Amino acid sequence: MQGSGDATPLAGQTVRVEGVVTGDFQRGDQLSGFFLQDPRPDADPKTSEGLFAFARDTVKDVRPGDRVLVTGRATEFNGWTELSPVTAVDVCGTGQIAALPYLLPSDGLEPVENMLLTFPQPLTVTEHYNLGRFGEVTVSSGGRLFQPTDRRGVDADLNRRRSLLIDDGSNRQNPETLPPIVRTGDLATGVTGVLGYGFDTYRLQPTKPIAYHDANPRPSRPFPVIGNVKVASFNTLNWFTTLGSRGAGTEEEQRRQLAKLVAALKGLDADAVALMEVENNGQTALRALVDAVNAEVGAGTYAALRHPYPGTDAIQVGLIYKPGRLTPVGEARASEDPVFSRPPLIQTFRRAAGGQPFTMIVNHLKSKGSCPDGGGPDADQGDGQGCWNATRVQQARALLGLVADLPNPMVLGDLNAYGEEDPIDTLEDGGLTSVTKRFVPAPLRYSYLFEGLAGELDHALVGRQLLKRVTSATIWHINADEPRVLDYNTEFNPPGLYRPDAYRSSDHDPVVIGLTLPGR
């Protein structure tokens, strides 16, 4: 019935098959069926020995190890070979099926669809976006997966073949009982289950508990940076004081979001922090954030700059700093070039004790989503860089024009471009150097996770003279590695998981840079 191709050769025919039950998921809140497998496999490695029978326990309640005869129609249900509907299930004894050892990368999972598999290798958690929503976790062989456009040597096809989605044996949304709460980078061992299919991907339904190991412990503080000035960049993930817009939907959510942001900023303890995704409502949202941080770390510790030209987008960039550590040189400036939908904020600083100045240019370049209608250069070109890449390149060129006349410029923020994409190439070709590429080891150089692939969207690039003064840099992995079920939202998140800490305060990790500037 399985055949050697992608679909059953017996589609639409009524068949009667015999096998041993390997996975029981018959309840209606599960998969409404069970898996069975032939204990006498054939000699063709292209044909699977397993089937899924769409039969609730009201048809016949079976258990793993039951030897069954099943009558039903051979069907391809959205790419999944199964018996549906099932008209008869007879238990005629017991049997035993040994899980087939299977290694990733895979050359194609169709030959083992519906079979009982075990993975003898340690597998790395690489995605958990839907852990709370659907009980899903994706793991991979050979360590975490990276965006192909973030660094050289990453193969997109190999990424797919290294990956395996682990489901929770149900079709429930927001299940009351969740799989273990894991961070990306953690290790899974003893992964064993039956291989189903759904929503355009193969998914392993575990038949025994999976052991997860804490291979990527939470960092309580950023790795210490060296220098007499510490600056940071942090995307706040829509800090809005206006409820029900982009950020928190209720007062409770807003309190929870603010507590997490404050914990993150307190942990950064930077002398100046570039901020993205702050509500563009004058100083209201920015001041509320600064007031909350100062309430924790001491009155007057931080001050907020006023953006002279924030633009018309719903969000703006911002900059907060410690007046006791840094002194602004001149007024804050901004570009009025129409290429920027969120105009960059420019401020030169000196240490409070005097000495060499440096200039922060805070950015949030055009996002990869919400693609334009009608095609054109900003449409997705299929090169992995997403939509609006041409606009981001124009914005990068405009930034090069801005920094030409600034003392010791540092371009930082969410540039919405991975490390080997055209906008970053443009900035580097224009004479700027990525400090994270220079100072952060490649396995740790990521700030964002999208569809199981880690990469760096948040950057800090400096001019030639300031590069001599950069003495260290790090990325504080408090967000990208954490599942969204731990964020501030109350909808969909089970009670009891929320903590007023820095973890999952946003979906971007903060970048931290240490400067050693000459002067008193």
Side-chain angles (χ1 to χ4, degrees):
M1 179 178 157
Q2 278 281 3
S4 58
D6 291 340
T8 174
L10 304 179
Q13 298 184 32
T14 297
V15 298
R16 185 165 174 82
V17 298
E18 181 180 354
V20 175
V21 175
T22 53
D24 176 17
F25 304 92
Q26 287 184 279
R27 295 200 315 267
D29 61 345
Q30 294 180 313
L31 302 178
S32 298
F34 61 89
F35 293 81
L36 66 154
Q37 190 166 324
D38 191 341
R40 300 178 301 276
D42 59 35
D44 187 352
K46 296 181 180 179
T47 60
S48 169
E49 310 302 329
L51 279 174
F52 178 74
F54 185 75
R56 295 183 174 89
D57 53 7
T58 52
V59 176
K60 176 68 176 181
D61 191 14
V62 301
R63 298 178 180 179
D66 283 348
R67 191 180 192 93
V68 292
L69 290 168
V70 184
T71 303
R73 182 180 299 162
T75 303
E76 282 294 319
F77 180 73
N78 294 330
W80 189 8
T81 303
E82 61 180 53
L83 292 174
S84 177
V86 169
T87 56
V89 176
D90 298 303
V91 177
C92 52
T94 59
Q96 189 172 3
I97 298 291
L100 174 69
Y102 198 90
L103 293 174
L104 296 175
S106 167
D107 290 328
L109 292 170
E110 177 68 25
V112 290
E113 179 187 62
N114 295 322
M115 291 179 62
L116 181 63
L117 306 177
T118 188
F119 294 80
Q121 66 206 119
L123 298 172
T124 300
V125 175
T126 193
E127 174 65 291
H128 44 36
Y129 187 75
N130 284 324
L131 186 152
R133 193 84 165 93
F134 301 111
E136 298 174 354
V137 173
T138 298
V139 295
S140 61
S141 62
R144 71 167 71 232
L145 305 179
F146 288 96
Q147 289 282 352
T149 57
D150 189 65
R151 59 200 63 204
R152 295 183 177 92
V154 177
D155 185 299
D157 180 65
L158 181 58
N159 274 349
R160 287 188 290 271
R161 295 191 297 113
R162 288 169 56 195
S163 302
L164 176 70
L165 189 152
I166 300 174
D167 209 339
D168 65 347
S170 81
N171 291 319
R172 291 169 294 186
Q173 296 187 31
N174 312 309
E176 293 182 4
T177 302
L178 293 177
I181 306 297
V182 292
R183 281 170 55 89
T184 53
D186 287 345
L187 289 179
T189 58
V191 176
T192 300
V194 283
L195 187 69
Y197 189 87
F199 301 98
D200 301 319
T201 191
Y202 289 100
R203 44 190 66 228
L204 192 81
Q205 310 294 350
T207 54
K208 68 176 189 178
I210 296 172
Y212 287 99
H213 306 275
D214 184 10
N216 181 27
R218 283 177 162 178
S220 59
R221 289 287 186 271
F223 190 81
V225 294
I226 302 167
N228 53 21
V229 172
K230 179 165 63 171
V231 300
S233 174
F234 185 33
N235 183 318
T236 67
L237 185 56
N238 292 312
W239 164 242
F240 274 55
T241 52
T242 302
L243 295 176
S245 44
R246 285 198 185 183
T250 66
E251 290 184 359
E252 180 186 4
E253 285 188 340
Q254 190 177 75
R255 286 193 297 270
R256 288 157 59 118
Q257 182 186 20
L258 185 58
K260 281 189 165 292
L261 291 173
V262 167
L265 291 168
K266 183 178 177 181
L268 285 171
D269 191 29
D271 299 322
V273 185
L275 299 171
M276 292 94 239
E277 294 196 15
V278 176
E279 184 178 7
N280 189 0
N281 60 351
Q283 292 290 95
T284 303
L286 192 59
R287 187 179 297 114
L289 183 57
V290 168
D291 289 347
V293 175
N294 284 343
E296 284 286 321
V297 299
T301 300
Y302 281 98
L305 292 178
R306 177 178 292 277
H307 200 312
Y309 184 71
T312 59
D313 198 272
I315 52 178
Q316 63 175 320
V317 299
L319 207 167
I320 65 175
Y321 71 100
K322 291 181 177 179
R325 298 278 298 164
L326 298 175
T327 300
V329 178
E331 298 294 323
R333 290 176 285 165
S335 172
E336 297 189 26
D337 189 326
V339 73
F340 295 109
S341 54
R342 297 180 284 259
L345 176 61
I346 305 166
Q347 180 65 61
T348 300
F349 289 103
R350 276 194 176 93
R351 294 169 58 210
Q356 187 179 78
F358 70 99
T359 305
M360 297 175 66
I361 305 98
V362 184
N363 299 271
H364 189 186
L365 299 191
K366 183 71 175 176
S367 70
K368 295 175 177 289
S370 301
C371 300
D373 296 328
D378 273 320
D380 192 331
Q381 304 298 310
D383 58 2
Q385 301 189 79
C387 297
W388 303 106
N389 189 56
T391 290
R392 287 191 296 277
V393 169
Q394 293 175 14
Q395 292 174 331
R397 290 174 181 153
L399 286 172
L400 290 174
L402 289 174
V403 303
D405 299 322
L406 296 172
N408 292 318
M410 173 185 290
V411 172
L412 75 170
D414 178 0
L415 303 187
N416 270 313
Y418 291 109
E420 297 299 325
E421 293 186 358
D422 297 337
I424 306 303
D425 290 345
T426 299
L427 293 172
E428 291 176 333
D429 291 345
L432 300 181
T433 298
S434 165
V435 299
T436 50
K437 287 183 182 180
R438 178 68 65 94
F439 289 96
V440 179
L444 300 176
R445 188 172 57 78
Y446 61 91
S447 66
Y448 192 72
L449 185 72
F450 182 70
E451 294 185 347
L453 305 178
E456 185 180 17
L457 289 181
D458 305 86
H459 301 266
L461 300 101
V462 299
R464 187 172 293 107
Q465 292 303 312
L466 188 58
L467 180 61
K468 300 174 184 178
R469 305 301 176 190
V470 178
T471 41
S472 53
T474 191
I475 303 172
W476 191 19
H477 296 305
I478 54 174
N479 295 320
D481 286 338
E482 298 282 335
R484 62 171 174 160
V485 74
L486 299 181
D487 69 16
Y488 69 84
N489 286 280
T490 54
E491 73 269 24
F492 306 139
N493 289 355
L497 293 181
Y498 171 80
R499 296 291 184 274
D501 55 29
Y503 305 105
R504 201 62 188 187
S505 53
S506 174
D507 53 350
H508 290 248
D509 289 330
V511 179
V512 189
I513 305 99
L515 304 173
T516 301
L517 298 175
R520 295 191 299 274

